[in-house]
Amino acid sequence: MSLQSCCVDFICDNLTALCEVQPAAHSDFKQTKMVFKDPETCFHANLSDQLLSTLSEKGKLNDESLSLFDPSVTALRHVNIHNAPVTSRGLRILKGHRVSQLEITGIKEVTVNDIIGCLGEWTLSNLRLLNVSRNTFLNNSKFCVVVSLSKLRNLHTLNVSSTEFNRHGLEIIAEDLPCLEVLDISSTEINDISPLKKCKNRLKSLSMYNLQLHRNSDPIGVVSELIHLVHLDVSNEATRESIITSVATERFQVPEYLSRCDANPNLVSLDISGSADVAPCVVESFLDRHKKLNFLGLALTSISEYEMFQPESSWLRNRPDLKISGEYTESQIIESLRRYLPRSAYMQKALFKLFNLSQGTEEPREDIIKLVLPAMKSHPKLLSVQMAATACLYNLTRGDVGIKIHSVLLSKCVDLTLTAMENFPNHQQLQKNALLTICSDRILQEVNFDRFRCSRLVMECMCQFDDASMNRMSVAICSILAAKISTEQTTILGAKARYMKKLLMLVEERLVIRELDITLRFTLSALWNLTDEAPSTCNVFLTEGGLELFIKLLQLTDGEETESHVQVETKILGLLNNIAEVKALRHKLMREDFIMLIKHMLHGEHIDVSYFAAGILAHLCSDGDEAWRSIAGLDRYDILEELKTVVSSWDQPKAEMVAYRSFSPFFPLLQSEDTPIQLWAVWAIHHVCSKNGKRYLTLLSNEGGHEHIQKLMTSITVDPKVMTICQEIMDKLEECKGKPLRYCQEMEF
């Protein structure tokens, strides 16, 4: 992406921060309008066009955001608005601009007549291109009104495809638009193109995909009279049944046209896609007579498989400039994806063939990904397209290939994959395709996307289907993303009982078969991150029987020293430490069997296990003697002595063994009068500040942690070892403050 594109993206994503809503100065707007906060803001034409187009692409264009384009601060020339919820009131902003190209498509709320009514005099006199595809010409009385097109006397290009445009409209534009050279009447109600004879000396491009023509209207004769024609599209859908609705109509007779020796000798581009009844020899003969042809559309035909159109054929080598659309070779598929974006059947077939070709891809193909994504975006509710597209994205981004793809492009892949998940929540294979794509270290760790949205959709998928591989991918994704979203967001996810039940069910399944596999470890990580500083999630965990389940799991792993056993124990104790931080829930942990188990693990050989066991006991002991009176056979003083002995024996591990969102759970421990509790808290703070100072020293300072530590240091009863660790933390904080400005800014970031 260019720097300009990045800046425009930022503006679009932060409109509320950069703009404000003010009362409108005149009646063309609603009662309010949007303006830039900076009064010096002024966008030149190219930048104005890009901002408008990007807002439309991101789904953020409406009447209010359109008011941002006041002619005093912007200059629109090429307007692109697609599928936006705009009305005539918002489009009136265009009156003040000199627009030469206008594309407003997919807007049924505003008639074409109304759109033209929103244009200024200069635009009406000078507009060269108008695209109103998939809009409506019908007024309130359901009459097709096209007379407004007559005002556009300088129009060179007109696209009225997929509208109610009819033969009467064709007569009007053929008569009243003297400069018209490019016309697209695809999928309209035109059944007779004979009015085009009036354009025979100027029309250069004619697209009439999917037209149903009267049998006696002689469309081939009309087309043959267009002596300046260089582009002709007479393609159709794949089957006759999808085209013909009346016995009096038929589609364009491609074989007959190709057989005419005098047909349009200047053609450069011909599209006959969807024509199933054309013999290859007829096509070959036509090509021999049309040496200027550089594009031939053969999508949804068997002709594209013809030997002469294969890359190794000598015939094709003699026509190196000829591009062919189809589904048989990679180049044909690429051409189809590029040209037929609005046509769902074409996209489906091309993507299906691309999936087969892209299996085993070893080199990054960003060029192909950039063609798959628009297809997904254009047909979000069409299962066949989304199925094929998500499968293609997996092939094109998997493994080592994904490492070489730009993160911005991967971000777009994830966004559209999530949209597919939202639109088809009950389709197992599509959900599996999506999980396969997202479950990538590169994507989960480095790529920017809506992680909360992704986590929610993956959780829903996990609950919807009982599939081992899908469960494994789901918990792997959630375990990573849960650590990267806000505590408010983890609370929303973790507080849903159905999510918690599913996660605990996965744990229980592993407990029953006594298997500590990767799925279990990912599930435990997800639970650990979801409960971090989330009291409501911790409560749901306890309510759903999580404590009893985890006690059984700890009893299963006790005494084993393998790496997987230690990992499982660490994750379990980490989660239980999260619960112990919640004062209102600590009484639910005050069970003799639980405390005896944690006390035993305090003396574990591995510091990871011992550390979290110590944290649980420190929090439980911080409630004082009163809370321990219900526990027979356990003395709080004895546990504190053990805690002090164990923590004092620790050496700093080489690697960071824990990550914290906040130091707030430690502050009550620093205020405790018991030295062992203080010791564990300062040791823990010192550990993370030593291993990752850039993050934790700044966090500690911002949360006022230095004040708590200073207060502890001034206590007359402070233990010398606690004092030493506190001093080391304060020294690190002072060192941080003394770093150069650039370093400190990096830390803040």
Side-chain angles (χ1 to χ4, degrees):
M1 291 180 70
S2 67
L3 179 58
Q4 177 171 307
S5 295
C6 290
C7 291
V8 170
D9 270 355
F10 180 85
I11 293 170
C12 293
D13 293 337
N14 296 275
L15 278 183
T16 54
L18 300 172
C19 306
E20 61 185 8
V21 177
Q22 295 181 349
H26 48 82
S27 60
D28 276 353
F29 296 110
K30 291 182 175 181
Q31 294 180 351
T32 60
K33 67 173 184 175
M34 184 177 283
V35 298
F36 289 105
K37 290 181 179 178
D38 184 350
E40 301 298 319
T41 301
C42 187
F43 283 35
H44 59 70
N46 289 343
L47 202 53
S48 300
D49 293 341
Q50 186 177 357
L51 179 62
L52 179 67
S53 178
T54 306
L55 283 170
S56 177
E57 182 183 338
K58 290 177 173 287
K60 296 190 174 183
L61 194 65
N62 50 40
D63 284 352
E64 184 175 72
S65 54
L66 260 178
S67 68
L68 198 61
F69 294 87
D70 189 283
S72 63
V73 295
T74 60
L76 294 171
R77 295 291 181 266
H78 300 166
V79 172
N80 288 282
I81 300 175
H82 304 290
N83 304 313
V86 298
T87 69
S88 298
R89 192 183 296 271
L91 290 173
R92 285 179 199 146
I93 196 74
L94 299 178
K95 277 188 180 293
H97 294 274
R98 296 186 169 190
V99 181
S100 60
Q101 296 184 15
L102 178 62
E103 296 191 57
I104 301 183
T105 65
I107 301 174
K108 297 294 186 182
E109 293 78 15
V110 186
T111 69
V112 176
N113 194 50
D114 290 336
I115 291 172
I116 295 174
C118 293
L119 304 178
E121 289 301 321
W122 188 96
T123 300
L124 291 173
S125 300
N126 295 277
L127 189 68
R128 293 178 59 85
L129 181 150
L130 176 64
N131 180 359
V132 289
S133 176
R134 296 180 292 112
N135 288 2
T136 183
F137 281 94
L138 299 181
N139 62 16
N140 291 334
S141 301
K142 300 303 179 184
F143 288 111
C144 183
V145 181
V146 299
V147 290
S148 56
L149 292 174
S150 301
K151 299 177 182 179
L152 310 175
R153 301 285 293 176
N154 200 39
L155 201 66
H156 284 62
T157 300
L158 176 62
N159 184 343
V160 291
S161 61
S162 301
T163 68
E164 305 87 1
F165 197 77
N166 54 27
R167 188 185 189 281
H168 175 63
L170 193 61
E171 289 175 345
I172 290 176
I173 64 169
E175 184 74 36
D176 296 346
L177 302 183
C179 299
L180 190 65
E181 295 180 342
V182 179
L183 179 62
D184 190 339
I185 51 175
S186 301
S187 299
T188 61
E189 297 181 4
I190 293 171
N191 53 27
D192 181 3
I193 62 171
S194 57
L196 292 180
K197 291 179 181 180
K198 296 177 183 178
C199 307
K200 66 180 182 181
N201 292 321
R202 64 178 187 270
L203 204 62
K204 295 179 180 178
S205 173
L206 176 61
S207 298
M208 45 184 193
Y209 162 75
N210 240 15
L211 280 197
Q212 303 176 34
L213 301 166
H214 278 308
R215 294 178 183 271
N216 57 359
S217 63
D218 189 25
I220 294 175
V222 175
V223 169
S224 298
E225 286 189 41
L226 304 177
I227 57 177
H228 296 291
L229 206 63
V230 294
H231 167 74
L232 176 63
D233 182 354
V234 289
S235 57
N236 282 288
E237 289 285 8
T239 63
R240 182 176 298 273
E241 289 71 27
S242 65
I243 306 299
I244 306 304
T245 59
S246 167
V247 293
T249 59
E250 63 182 6
R251 56 184 176 180
F252 192 86
Q253 295 299 303
V254 173
E256 183 181 340
Y257 171 76
L258 295 178
S259 299
R260 292 189 65 151
C261 297
D262 58 341
N264 309 109
N266 297 314
L267 273 186
V268 173
S269 167
L270 174 65
D271 201 330
I272 57 171
S273 297
S275 303
D277 49 358
V278 182
C281 59
V282 176
V283 176
E284 185 174 356
S285 176
F286 183 88
L287 288 171
D288 288 339
R289 298 194 306 272
H290 293 77
K291 300 296 185 182
K292 297 179 183 178
L293 209 68
N294 60 29
F295 170 72
L296 179 62
L298 298 176
L300 299 185
T301 72
S302 58
I303 310 170
S304 62
E305 302 177 20
Y306 189 40
E307 184 180 349
M308 65 181 292
F309 297 130
Q310 304 315 305
E312 64 277 2
S313 74
S314 57
W315 187 93
L316 201 57
R317 283 198 295 269
N318 293 329
R319 299 282 293 266
D321 296 332
L322 181 63
K323 293 185 175 179
I324 298 168
S325 67
E327 297 85 29
Y328 195 69
T329 67
E330 180 186 293
S331 61
Q332 291 176 6
I333 293 171
I334 288 175
E335 201 64 33
S336 292
L337 290 172
R338 183 179 291 120
R339 288 179 178 266
Y340 305 127
L341 190 58
R343 307 181 186 181
S344 58
Y346 284 58
M347 290 294 99
Q348 175 189 346
K349 188 70 176 289
L351 290 169
F352 176 75
K353 292 293 185 179
L354 176 62
F355 167 70
N356 294 328
L357 279 180
S358 61
Q359 294 189 65
T361 299
E362 296 181 356
E363 293 298 325
R365 295 299 305 270
E366 293 192 357
D367 58 328
I368 297 181
I369 294 174
K370 289 175 182 177
L371 295 173
V372 174
L373 296 180
M376 294 182 73
K377 190 169 185 178
S378 296
H379 307 280
K381 298 295 182 70
L382 197 59
L383 177 61
S384 56
V385 170
Q386 297 299 318
M387 274 286 294
T390 52
C392 288
L393 285 187
Y394 171 61
N395 284 346
L396 295 166
T397 61
R398 65 188 299 184
D400 294 338
V401 175
I403 297 174
K404 303 172 186 177
I405 297 173
H406 198 285
S407 60
V408 171
L409 191 57
L410 287 177
S411 175
K412 293 178 180 178
C413 291
V414 175
D415 287 342
L416 287 169
T417 298
L418 295 179
T419 299
M421 293 182 75
E422 277 180 335
N423 288 336
F424 301 98
N426 300 320
H427 197 282
Q428 185 169 358
Q429 188 57 54
L430 184 138
Q431 296 286 322
K432 198 168 192 176
N433 291 351
L435 294 177
L436 284 165
T437 300
I438 298 169
C439 196
S440 149
D441 283 340
R442 170 83 196 286
I443 287 175
L444 294 174
Q445 299 289 0
E446 301 176 29
V447 175
N448 185 33
F449 58 93
D450 189 337
R451 294 183 172 91
F452 174 65
R453 178 191 183 202
C454 182
S455 301
R456 176 178 54 80
L457 289 169
V458 169
M459 285 281 205
E460 287 292 333
C461 175
M462 181 182 65
C463 293
Q464 181 70 21
F465 305 104
D466 188 18
D467 179 282
S469 63
M470 293 176 73
N471 286 337
R472 182 174 62 252
M473 290 186 286
S474 296
V475 292
I477 293 168
C478 290
S479 68
I480 294 172
L481 295 187
K484 297 179 179 293
I485 59 180
S486 69
T487 52
E488 292 80 11
Q489 291 170 335
T490 56
T491 299
I492 292 172
L493 293 175
K496 287 187 178 292
R498 58 194 296 263
Y499 294 168
M500 184 63 70
K501 285 179 180 178
K502 177 67 176 185
L503 290 168
L504 292 178
M505 185 190 79
L506 294 177
V507 173
E508 188 172 19
E509 287 175 354
R510 268 66 197 168
L511 177 62
V512 170
I513 61 176
R514 305 173 70 86
E515 185 173 350
L516 309 183
D517 61 3
I518 189 69
T519 299
L520 174 64
R521 295 198 291 276
F522 278 137
T523 306
L524 294 175
S525 293
L527 286 165
W528 186 3
N529 288 324
L530 287 171
T531 53
D532 189 13
E533 294 198 37
S536 60
T537 304
C538 292
N539 188 48
V540 173
F541 172 85
L542 294 170
T543 302
E544 297 299 330
L547 180 59
E548 288 74 14
L549 186 61
F550 273 31
I551 289 175
K552 293 177 183 177
L553 198 53
L554 284 175
Q555 291 169 342
L556 174 65
T557 61
D558 187 30
E560 300 288 344
E561 297 298 334
T562 66
E563 183 179 353
S564 61
H565 282 77
V566 173
Q567 287 180 0
V568 167
E569 289 177 348
T570 302
K571 296 174 192 299
I572 292 174
L573 294 174
L575 182 148
L576 295 173
N577 198 93
N578 288 340
I579 298 174
E581 290 175 356
V582 183
K583 184 175 179 62
L585 297 178
R586 282 202 281 264
H587 69 279
K588 296 187 177 182
L589 301 180
M590 298 301 290
R591 295 170 34 171
E592 184 176 356
D593 59 340
F594 174 72
I595 294 175
M596 288 296 292
L597 183 58
I598 301 304
K599 184 170 172 285
H600 169 69
M601 306 198 84
L602 174 67
H603 298 277
E605 179 181 337
H606 296 271
I607 189 172
D608 308 60
V609 174
S610 181
Y611 171 82
F612 287 110
I616 294 169
L617 293 175
H619 283 290
L620 294 181
C621 288
S622 68
D623 284 342
D625 291 333
E626 186 68 30
W628 285 73
R629 288 181 179 172
S630 61
I631 308 293
L634 285 173
D635 187 273
R636 176 175 173 272
Y637 177 79
D638 292 340
I639 289 178
L640 286 173
E641 284 299 308
E642 287 187 50
L643 182 62
K644 182 179 180 181
T645 301
V646 169
V647 176
S648 299
S649 70
W650 288 341
D651 294 322
Q652 278 287 346
K654 294 181 180 180
E656 184 182 355
M657 62 181 178
V658 63
Y660 290 113
R661 296 176 186 265
S662 166
F663 285 111
S664 56
F666 291 93
F667 298 155
L669 302 184
L670 296 177
Q671 297 166 8
S672 171
E673 296 180 355
D674 296 299
T675 294
I677 296 173
Q678 299 169 359
L679 182 61
W680 181 82
V682 296
W683 194 98
I685 294 170
H686 180 269
H687 167 68
V688 292
C689 289
S690 300
K691 301 304 179 186
N692 191 350
K694 284 186 179 182
R695 174 182 177 185
Y696 288 110
L697 289 171
T698 304
L699 180 63
L700 185 63
S701 179
N702 290 342
E703 293 185 338
H706 57 289
E707 297 174 359
H708 291 279
I709 293 172
Q710 284 176 330
K711 185 176 180 181
L712 179 58
M713 293 173 71
T714 58
S715 172
I716 59 175
T717 60
V718 64
D719 182 84
K721 190 170 185 63
V722 173
M723 174 67 84
T724 300
I725 298 176
C726 286
Q727 188 59 58
E728 290 180 4
I729 296 171
M730 295 303 295
D731 290 344
K732 289 181 182 295
L733 284 169
E734 287 300 317
E735 183 183 351
C736 165
K737 291 179 182 178
K739 290 290 183 183
L741 178 61
R742 180 178 177 184
Y743 179 79
C744 289
Q745 287 175 336
E746 183 182 5
M747 289 177 55
E748 289 292 339
F749 179 77

